[in-house]
């Protein structure tokens, strides 16, 4: 399933004339497992959290630099959902909305969120930090794909997802 979705993603990016670079690696489920495979890439590597607010009114995908702390209480306040109200969403919801499972959350999966029910919170540093490339999983945790920050923003707009920019420490 992941390979078909990855092909669909790559075709979408090609149609937008977005150039990418890709590193293949064994499937990884944490940033710690992933980093040894990415020693030769330049730019920002991301971590991605798929969240819901407690009242289940909203789904959020948070993409932040891998070395940033994401405090869910602080983020909930900034997003106006109330402190203590953000939780990790279950895998079934992630599969339904983004077509990826645990360990594979990625902003690139927003291509498959056809009804724009998932809101993206993007680390401001990813697009304003002067990085040559920003890196995400391409629908599989067995690879990492890099694209230019401006191309990431164009991709997101083409999928109907205007990111909420936040600063993480």
């Amino acid at each position: 399933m992941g390979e078909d979705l990855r092909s669909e993603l790559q075709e979408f990016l090609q149609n937008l004339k977005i150039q990418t670079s890709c590193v293949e690696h064994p499937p990884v489920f944490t940033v710690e497992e992933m980093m040894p495979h990415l020693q030769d890439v330049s730019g920002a590597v991301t971590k991605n959290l798929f969240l819901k607010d407690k009242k289940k009114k909203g789904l959020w995908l948070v993409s932040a630099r891998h070395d940033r702390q994401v405090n869910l209480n602080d983020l909930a306040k900034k997003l106006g959902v109330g402190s203590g109200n953000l939780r990790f969403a279950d895998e079934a919801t992630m599969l339904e909305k983004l077509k990826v499972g645990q360990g594979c959350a990625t902003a690139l999966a927003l291509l498959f969120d056809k009804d724009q029910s998932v809101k993206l919170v993007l680390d401001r540093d990813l697009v304003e930090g002067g990085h040559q490339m920003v890196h995400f999983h391409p629908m599989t945790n067995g690879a990492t794909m890099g694209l230019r920050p401006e191309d990431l923003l164009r991709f997101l707009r083409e999928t109907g997802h205007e990111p909420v920019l936040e600063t993480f420490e």
Side-chain angles (χ1 to χ4, degrees):
M1 180 173 120
E3 285 307 310
D4 291 346
L5 295 172
R6 181 177 175 180
S7 297
E8 202 174 323
L9 169 66
Q10 287 172 314
E11 193 175 312
F12 186 83
L13 292 168
Q14 283 169 348
N15 289 339
L16 293 177
K17 307 271 189 280
I18 291 177
Q19 291 185 325
T20 62
S21 65
C22 221
V23 175
E24 306 294 327
H25 50 69
V28 292
F29 291 90
T30 65
V31 167
E32 292 74 27
E33 287 178 55
M34 181 174 63
M35 291 315 290
H37 304 288
L38 301 181
Q39 290 174 349
D40 296 332
V41 304
S42 62
V45 175
T46 60
K47 64 179 172 189
N48 297 271
L49 311 174
F50 188 59
L51 307 170
K52 64 179 180 186
D53 65 52
K54 199 163 68 174
K55 298 170 184 65
K56 292 195 170 106
K57 290 200 170 75
L59 294 169
W60 304 86
L61 180 66
V62 178
S63 293
R65 245 181 54 185
H66 79 280
D67 55 356
R68 297 287 200 236
Q69 290 298 315
V70 178
N71 181 310
L72 296 187
N73 285 335
D74 291 350
L75 182 59
K77 283 183 220 158
K78 287 180 186 175
L79 298 175
V81 298
S83 179
N85 283 335
L86 279 180
R87 305 260 186 283
F88 285 95
D90 57 69
E91 188 174 31
T93 305
M94 189 159 62
L95 282 164
E96 176 194 337
K97 293 295 178 186
L98 300 180
K99 310 276 184 260
V100 291
Q102 206 124 24
C104 300
T106 171
L108 299 176
L110 291 168
L111 172 62
F112 300 98
D113 176 38
K114 300 298 185 195
D115 62 358
Q116 288 87 35
S117 59
V118 179
K119 294 180 201 71
L120 176 67
V121 177
L122 194 60
D123 185 341
R124 183 178 301 280
D125 180 79
L126 295 175
V127 290
E128 296 176 2
H131 303 290
Q132 274 185 300
M133 302 284 265
V134 289
H135 299 271
F136 295 87
H137 287 318
M139 305 305 293
T140 169
N141 59 355
T144 300
M145 177 183 279
L147 62 166
R148 294 187 337 231
E150 57 272 24
D151 287 337
L152 171 66
L153 290 173
R154 192 157 54 97
F155 165 83
L156 293 169
R157 290 187 184 115
E158 287 288 331
T159 65
H161 295 86
E162 190 62 42
V164 176
L165 297 181
E166 285 295 344
T167 301
F168 300 100
E169 297 306 318

